[in-house]
């Protein structure tokens, strides 16, 4: 285990590694198995999948084949839009667990807020937690208004909000809101899917520290106090992305990166997904 990766205490008493490994767009069995092996050997313990990624079975095969100790792992999956609704959610999560070959996941998220099944899906997550099929429950792509609306009927609130966050979309107001409500923000596409890595400001800061632009961005997430889940299929990058614990960005460097915000998304707009009931 990489002892440098901090464990964050969630509002429900569980703990979660601050840095994890993303598995979106990796579907081929041998690539999944090798990526998870490289990641585990490098010190990642959190693996982030979703029903939408269509790789839960391959992830389950990899975890079994590699014989990774369950108690060391933190596995997240997410309920897709077509599987939302009370009964559909319960059935689909049981199916996810079968594919993953697990008795429980550590974290279950609603992938996107949708109008059609907004409260029923959350009620199903509360039930699945009671049944022990997930240790923690949370949401993804929820904006402040979705969290406020959820609070009108929820028996317990999400402990995680997984949102798009990178230097072009730093999400400062939502980070603040999550923090004030005991919700940990977890950044998806923390590297902006690679689109931001040729930015001159990032590369200048990287040169100051003899690090790559990707390492600077991940260090920025770390020092911003959020959790983050970079994805790569390449061993050298997987190692590089967790080798961020031996340098510190100055306040000026943090400000310079915060100032790169230009509200550009690499993913979808949550308000529209909510309205369309589907990631369009
Ligand atoms: N909740 C949601 O709605 C949602 C949405 C999107 C993503 N996610 C989660 O967040 C995870 C991460 O997001 P993401 O996969 O979209 O994007 P990301 O982690 O920001 O970026 C991944 C891209 O950057 C490249 N890359 C990785 N490390 C690099 C490095 N050190 N130097 C240069 N390029 C590098 C990767 O290429 P190679 O693989 O070729 O190295 C890949 O093209 C996903 O895998 C998924 O688990 C969640």
């Amino acid at each position: 285990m990489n002892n440098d990766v901090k464990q964050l205490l969630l509002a429900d008493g569980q703990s979660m590694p601050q840095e994890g490994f993303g598995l979106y767009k990796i579907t081929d069995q041998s690539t999944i198995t090798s990526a998870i092996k490289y990641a585990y050997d490098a010190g990642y313990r959190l693996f982030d999948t979703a029903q939408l990624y269509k790789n839960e079975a391959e992830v389950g095969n990899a975890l079994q084949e590699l014989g990774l100790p369950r108690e060391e792992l933190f596995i997240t999956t997410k309920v897709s839009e077509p599987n939302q609704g009370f009964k559909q959610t319960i059935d689909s999560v049981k199916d996810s667990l079968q594919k993953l070959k697990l008795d429980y996941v550590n974290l279950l998220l609603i992938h996107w807020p949708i109008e059609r099944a907004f409260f029923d899906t959350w009620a199903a997550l509360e039930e699945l937690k009671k049944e022990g099929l997930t240790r923690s429950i949370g949401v993804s792509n929820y904006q402040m208004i979705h969290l406020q609306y959820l609070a009108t009927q929820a028996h317990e609130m999400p402990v995680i909000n997984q949102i798009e966050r990178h230097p072009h979309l730093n999400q400062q107001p939502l980070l603040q809101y999550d923090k004030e409500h005991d919700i940990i923000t977890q950044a998806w596409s923390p590297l902006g899917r690679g689109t931001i890595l040729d930015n001159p400001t990032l590369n200048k800061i990287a040169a100051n520290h003899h690090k790559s632009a990707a390492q600077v961005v991940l260090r920025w997430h770390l020092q911003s106090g959020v959790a983050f889940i970079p994805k790569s299929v390449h061993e050298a990058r997987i190692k590089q992305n967790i080798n961020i614990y031996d340098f510190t960005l100055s306040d000026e460097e943090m400000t310079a990166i915060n100032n790169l915000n230009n509200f550009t998304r690499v993913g979808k707009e949550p308000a529209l997904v909510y309205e369309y009931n589907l990631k369009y």
Side-chain angles (χ1 to χ4, degrees), residues 6 10 16 38 40 43 45-46 49 54 61 73 91 97 110 152 155 208-209 211 220 230 247 249 262 268 280:
K6 197 172 145 194
L10 309 181
M16 179 187 88
Y38 299 145
Y40 182 84
R45 291 294 179 269
L46 185 161
T49 182
K54 303 222 176 301
N61 293 338
L73 302 175
D91 291 348
L97 287 171
I110 299 180
T152 63
H155 293 98
N208 290 344
H209 294 281
K211 291 282 181 184
W220 168 76
F247 73 111
L249 299 172
N262 60 11
K268 302 297 184 189
Y280 53 97

Side-chain angles (χ1 to χ4, degrees), residues 112-129:
W112 291 86
I114 59 169
E115 192 271 338
R116 175 180 67 77
F118 189 79
F119 292 111
D120 291 348
T121 307
W122 184 251
L125 263 61
E126 291 177 333
E127 176 62 27
L128 287 159
K129 183 176 170 231

Side-chain angles (χ1 to χ4, degrees), residues 163-279:
I163 55 168
E164 179 178 344
R165 181 182 196 257
H166 43 71
H168 282 169
L169 188 74
N170 73 34
Q171 301 259 29
Q172 216 50 54
L174 187 49
L175 254 58
Q176 187 63 31
Y177 182 90
D178 284 352
K179 197 171 168 189
E180 283 165 6
H181 292 82
D182 258 348
I183 299 170
I184 302 263
T185 304
Q186 187 178 48
W188 65 254
S189 292
L191 301 171
R193 299 217 167 116
T195 57
I196 53 169
L197 298 180
D198 57 359
N199 178 280
T201 304
L202 295 177
N203 282 283
K204 189 163 168 277
I205 296 172
N208 290 344
H209 294 281
H210 307 287
K211 291 282 181 184
S212 69
Q215 289 171 310
V216 164
V217 171
L218 296 173
R219 182 77 203 184
W220 168 76
H221 285 292
L222 179 79
Q223 289 182 218
S224 306
V226 303
F228 48 101
I229 46 172
K231 168 262 174 189
S232 177
V233 293
H234 296 104
E235 185 174 13
R237 286 176 173 177
I238 291 170
K239 284 186 178 160
Q240 189 193 113
N241 292 348
I242 202 168
N243 178 16
I244 57 165
Y245 295 90
D246 58 353
F247 73 111
T248 305
L249 299 172
S250 67
D251 290 347
E252 292 73 23
E253 289 169 330
M254 287 294 289
T255 303
I257 301 172
N258 286 332
N259 288 343
L260 297 177
N261 186 48
N262 60 11
F263 302 95
T264 309
R265 289 184 183 275
V266 297
K268 302 297 184 189
E269 165 58 54
L272 289 181
V273 176
Y274 178 81
E275 198 174 319
Y276 294 158
N277 289 300
L278 196 65
K279 198 175 116 184

